[in-house]
Amino acid sequence: MAAYKESLSSRIFDVFNTLFMIFIIVIMLYPFLHVIALSLSETSEIMKGNVNIIPRGFNVEGYKLILTSPQLWIAYKNTIIYAVLGTFITLLFTSLMAYPLAINDFVAKKFITVYLTITMFFSGGLIPTFLLIRNLGLINTIWVMVLPGCVSAYNVVVFRTFFQGISPELRESAYLDGANDFIILFAIILPLSKALLATFGLFSMVGHWNSWFDALIYLNEEKKYPIQMILRKILFVSNASAANDAAQVMIESRLVHPKNIQMAVIVVTIAPIMCVYPFLQKYFVQGVMIGSIKG
């Protein structure tokens, strides 16, 4: 009887858990579907407010207008460079910082750990950071988009904890074979840390892809803007057509609605990073699981 009650309660929990997860999925999907529907709907239907999650009519003029804009492709190229280079630098520097902290006999381990801990609670602020970056000559360069913040104290702690979980006998055996610490890190430790690298690589890439504030402050030339700055320009100017004379003509002739353009830019902006996730999903789940166990 007790086993039956336990089984019944477990089934009830599974039902409620499933319903709750479906509810969460609906909440998360609705805004995305609404954006897609607005980007594809006819101008008259958008003006009437009839668009929810299903497109009313079929209008791809917004996509044609955006995808034929040279400014968009320049911003795409810049964003890909910032995301790929920034992710590589983040993983490289974080690994180099975390590896010695995972070695128990490292002399400066305690000092560096305390230093990193302090940076988690105190920040220099926006103005001192701007002055530092200006004095370093990074203003309006590619490096201002990838170097500041490339090493996070939190990331270093997680990497260190993960590296500590790798058998120290591997490092000792490599030492006996004549390997130095760089060879050990790049030939032994990092190949065993694919889940960790994929997880934080995805976090870093999404962060760089969505970054716009650094570009707003530190970049002076529009040709160096990332895609998010173009999205911001179209979404927050008083008239979405101000970014393009052709858009002004199309809006006045009712061939396209400003919402078509705005939502099309959003879809075009988020589509590439969404395509990356399925390829990293396996490692991402493993990395989260390992982090929760080692934590």
Side-chain angles (χ1 to χ4, degrees):
M1 188 66 179
Y4 172 77
K5 289 183 178 179
E6 182 179 354
S7 176
L8 180 61
S9 62
S10 177
R11 291 179 180 178
I12 293 175
F13 172 78
D14 289 342
V15 170
F16 278 102
N17 192 36
T18 302
L19 292 176
F20 177 74
M21 295 304 296
I22 293 174
F23 176 71
I24 295 296
I25 291 173
V26 171
I27 291 177
M28 296 179 66
L29 282 180
Y30 179 82
F32 181 67
L33 295 177
H34 182 63
V35 167
I36 295 178
L38 283 174
S39 69
L40 294 173
S41 296
E42 294 289 346
T43 302
S44 58
E45 297 295 332
I46 296 176
M47 295 178 66
K48 295 176 183 178
N50 294 335
V51 182
N52 289 315
I53 61 174
I54 300 177
R56 295 299 184 95
F58 187 71
N59 181 11
V60 294
E61 295 300 325
Y63 287 98
K64 290 181 181 179
L65 188 64
I66 293 300
L67 294 176
T68 54
S69 171
Q71 187 181 26
L72 177 78
W73 296 109
I74 293 174
Y76 249 128
K77 181 194 72 173
N78 294 336
T79 301
I80 292 173
I81 293 174
Y82 299 152
V84 174
L85 181 61
T87 299
F88 173 77
I89 291 176
T90 295
L91 295 179
L92 175 63
F93 287 1
T94 303
S95 300
L96 292 173
M97 187 76 174
Y99 172 71
L101 297 180
I103 302 175
N104 292 329
D105 54 355
F106 177 55
V107 177
K109 177 180 179 179
K110 184 176 180 180
F111 171 78
I112 296 177
T113 302
V114 172
Y115 177 81
L116 286 173
T117 304
I118 292 174
T119 64
M120 296 177 69
F121 296 97
F122 299 97
S123 166
L126 179 60
I127 295 178
T129 301
F130 178 84
L131 295 176
L132 173 63
I133 290 176
R134 186 187 65 181
N135 293 335
L136 291 174
L138 298 179
I139 295 294
N140 203 38
T141 66
I142 183 177
W143 303 110
V144 78
M145 298 297 295
V146 298
L147 288 182
C150 65
V151 177
S152 164
Y154 173 79
N155 290 353
V156 171
V157 171
V158 175
F159 272 59
R160 181 204 64 182
T161 305
F162 187 93
F163 292 164
Q164 287 176 336
I166 298 175
S167 176
E169 283 77 13
L170 293 174
R171 185 169 61 87
E172 295 172 2
S173 300
Y175 274 137
L176 294 176
D177 291 335
N180 57 34
D181 286 306
F182 285 101
I183 295 177
I184 294 173
L185 174 61
F186 291 105
I188 299 176
I189 302 298
L190 292 184
L192 295 174
S193 307
K194 291 181 180 178
L196 178 74
L197 297 177
T199 301
F200 282 87
L202 180 61
F203 287 156
S204 177
M205 185 168 293
V206 171
H208 282 94
W209 192 273
N210 292 332
S211 176
W212 62 272
F213 189 67
D214 289 344
L216 180 65
I217 297 176
Y218 302 124
L219 296 182
N220 302 327
E221 299 179 28
E222 191 169 301
K223 65 180 182 180
K224 296 181 180 180
Y225 281 172
I227 189 68
Q228 297 298 333
M229 284 294 291
I230 305 302
L231 174 63
R232 177 184 178 273
K233 180 178 180 180
I234 294 177
L235 289 179
F236 292 102
V237 290
S238 58
N239 189 339
S241 62
N244 194 314
D245 293 337
Q248 178 69 42
V249 175
M250 295 180 69
I251 290 175
E252 291 178 353
S253 59
R254 300 262 180 116
L255 292 175
V256 67
H257 192 276
K259 289 283 185 183
N260 287 124
I261 303 174
Q262 294 171 351
M263 300 304 131
V265 172
I266 293 176
V267 174
V268 170
T269 301
I270 66 177
I273 202 67
M274 291 184 65
C275 294
V276 172
Y277 178 78
F279 298 99
L280 300 177
Q281 183 178 11
K282 178 179 69 174
Y283 297 110
F284 178 77
V285 173
Q286 293 176 0
V288 173
M289 291 289 291
I290 291 172
S292 63
I293 294 173
K294 299 288 183 182

